């Protein structure tokens, strides 16, 4: 753990997605001297429900304060009876192989587990009755990196990629080319500003929607405000700060556009132009950082060809358009 408070757990599940699972979490708050092993029940992509299951037997619950390591050891019968509406009998490890989901995260001061910092899942189902069924035939269970599959997070990323990876480039292109004399490409429009204005308004609207979507997975909390998250995933912290900053800047750009001085105003129009261009450059830097880190984090902090392609192609093109 990154501090003396946190949790780590795993679920016996049918799917690699967080839609089902007989779950066990070793958790500790700062006020506890040792962690406690607690059974949970997954019902969907939300915080699992804690319940009491007297059928498991806990043998070890320790805390290494020098390294902030918690350890819980327990035994679980292959077959269990249902408890309080939890269909534990469906997870009979003597007759069925299951996948294993693993995750870790932080605790709040009241002892409630917070949104996980990272998670993974086994590459295939695991036979709990046969040690040789482990991936390397040594009894060690190997996990595969999982791509984030939360629909709100994916929608957030897709919308931001649409507006800041594509639409904003159309807006920048019309502004940089349309203002030049002899830009016949825009003769069919009343002026280049029409395209530029509507593109920017669309970008601002979709950015608002996208940022709201980003708050849904951590239960409407701001990631930097989740205790210990900076140590667990610092990339996400910077991503969050720059994302919110970008939203504020794009809304300020819209406000500036509504209050834009006339060309005849020789005092304030030059100030507006320089401020507008400066904020545009800042937005390009901030949003490109957010897109690149988003493509990096969606594969659980692993680079893929998608992120590298955007980094080389789109950011290169963005630099040409802006500078």
């Amino acid at each position: 753990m990154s501090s003396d408070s946190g949790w780590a757990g795993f679920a016996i599940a049918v799917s690699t997605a967080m839609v089902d699972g007989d779950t066990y979490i070793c958790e500790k708050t700062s006020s506890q001297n040792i962690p406690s092993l607690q059974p949970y029940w997954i019902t969907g992509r939300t915080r699992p429900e804690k319940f009491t299951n007297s059928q498991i037997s806990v043998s070890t619950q320790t805390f290494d304060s020098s390294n902030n390591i918690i350890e819980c050891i327990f035994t679980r019968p292959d077959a269990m009876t249902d408890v309080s509406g939890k269909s534990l009998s469906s997870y009979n490890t003597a007759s069925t192989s299951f996948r294993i989901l693993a995750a870790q995260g932080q605790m709040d001061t009241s002892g409630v587990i917070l949104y996980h910092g990272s998670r993974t899942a086994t590459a295939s189902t695991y036979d709990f009755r046969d040690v040789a069924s482990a991936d390397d035939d040594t009894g060690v269970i190997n996990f595969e990196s999982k791509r984030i599959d939360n629909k709100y997070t994916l929608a957030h990323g897709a919308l931001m990629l649409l507006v800041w990876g594509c639409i904003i480039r159309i807006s920048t292109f019309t502004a940089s080319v349309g203002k030049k004399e002899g830009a016949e490409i825009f003769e069919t429009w009343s002026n280049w500003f029409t395209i530029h204005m509507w593109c920017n308004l669309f970008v601002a609207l979709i950015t608002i929607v996208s940022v709201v979507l980003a708050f849904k997975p951590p239960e409407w909390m701001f990631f930097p405000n989740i205790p210990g998250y900076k140590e667990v995933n610092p990339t996400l912290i910077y991503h969050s700060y720059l994302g919110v900053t970008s939203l504020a800047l794009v809304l300020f750009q819209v406000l500036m556009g509504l209050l834009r001085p006339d060309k005849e105003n020789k005092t304030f129009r030059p100030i507006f132009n320089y401020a507008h261009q400066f904020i545009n450059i800042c937005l390009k830097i901030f949003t490109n950082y957010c897109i690149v880190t988003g493509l990096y984090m969606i594969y659980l902090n692993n680079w893929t060809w998608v992120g590298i392609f955007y980094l080389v192609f789109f950011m290169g093109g963005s630099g040409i358009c802006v500078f």
Side-chain angles (χ1 to χ4, degrees):
M1 301 186 299
S2 58
S3 65
D4 63 351
S5 173
W7 63 269
F10 72 93
I12 301 170
V14 174
S15 170
T16 57
M18 188 180 170
V19 294
D20 75 290
D22 177 22
T23 308
Y24 302 91
I25 293 180
C26 186
E27 57 186 42
K28 180 188 178 299
T29 63
S30 297
S31 61
Q32 292 176 299
N33 293 323
I34 60 172
S36 61
L37 190 284
Q38 298 291 339
Y40 281 79
W41 187 254
I42 294 178
T43 57
R45 291 174 179 172
T46 184
R47 181 185 288 114
E49 177 186 350
K50 184 187 296 188
F51 70 104
T52 301
N53 183 5
S54 59
Q55 300 172 86
I56 63 173
S57 177
V58 180
S59 58
T60 300
Q61 297 176 135
T62 61
F63 174 57
D64 178 357
S65 59
S66 60
N67 297 302
N68 286 332
I69 297 176
I70 55 175
E71 180 182 27
C72 296
I73 301 176
F74 71 101
T75 56
R76 170 197 185 275
D78 284 316
M80 294 190 291
T81 58
D82 296 344
V83 175
S84 303
K86 314 298 187 296
S87 56
L88 297 172
S89 58
S90 299
Y91 296 88
N92 187 335
T93 53
S95 58
T96 307
S97 296
F98 294 94
R99 291 183 180 273
I100 303 176
L101 315 183
Q104 57 87 28
Q106 297 296 314
M107 305 279 294
D108 71 6
T109 55
S110 64
V112 176
I113 61 173
L114 298 176
Y115 187 73
H116 55 70
S118 62
R119 71 180 184 88
T120 187
T122 52
S124 59
T125 58
Y126 180 77
D127 185 353
F128 287 82
R129 304 293 291 173
D130 182 9
V131 172
S133 72
D135 292 344
D136 59 2
D137 293 334
T138 63
V140 176
I141 304 173
N142 293 324
F143 290 87
E144 63 176 350
S145 293
K146 282 286 295 174
R147 181 176 68 85
I148 292 176
D149 53 9
N150 183 281
K151 61 182 179 181
Y152 297 102
T153 302
L154 294 178
H156 162 78
L159 290 176
M160 293 297 267
L161 185 58
L162 169 66
V163 293
W164 289 104
C166 301
I167 304 300
I168 200 64
R169 283 167 171 75
I170 299 175
S171 174
T172 303
F173 177 78
T174 56
S176 59
V177 176
K179 289 185 293 186
K180 296 179 181 178
E181 294 184 7
E184 293 83 1
I185 187 174
F186 297 112
E187 282 188 351
T188 55
W189 296 79
S190 57
N191 53 50
W192 62 268
F193 184 72
T194 304
I195 310 172
H196 182 71
M197 177 188 70
W198 284 108
C199 282
N200 284 351
L201 289 175
F202 181 75
V203 167
L205 175 62
I206 297 303
T207 300
I208 294 172
V209 173
S210 181
V211 170
V212 171
L213 288 173
F215 279 84
K216 179 64 171 66
E219 299 177 338
W220 307 110
M221 294 183 67
F222 188 41
F223 279 112
N225 292 339
I226 299 178
Y229 225 91
K230 183 175 181 180
E231 292 77 15
V232 173
N233 194 347
T235 303
L236 180 57
I237 301 302
Y238 302 132
H239 178 95
S240 301
Y241 279 132
L242 289 180
V244 172
T245 302
S246 298
L247 173 61
L249 288 177
V250 74
L251 293 178
F252 185 66
Q253 284 281 59
V254 171
L255 179 62
M256 286 180 60
L258 295 174
L259 302 176
R260 184 180 62 148
D262 294 331
K263 291 182 179 180
E264 291 73 22
N265 190 325
K266 302 302 181 182
T267 302
F268 292 104
R269 184 56 181 260
I271 296 176
F272 165 84
N273 289 338
Y274 284 121
H276 185 63
Q277 293 173 14
F278 175 75
I279 294 175
N280 177 55
I281 292 173
C282 291
L283 278 169
K284 288 294 182 65
I285 295 173
F286 295 165
T287 56
N288 274 315
Y289 172 87
C290 288
I291 290 175
V292 171
T293 54
L295 293 172
Y296 169 71
M297 291 186 295
I298 198 173
Y299 287 95
L300 301 184
N301 294 357
N302 285 290
W303 285 109
T304 64
W305 70 269
V306 179
I308 296 174
F309 176 82
Y310 183 88
L311 185 65
V312 174
F313 185 80
F314 281 98
M315 286 191 67
S318 177
I320 294 174
C321 288
V322 173
F323 299 105

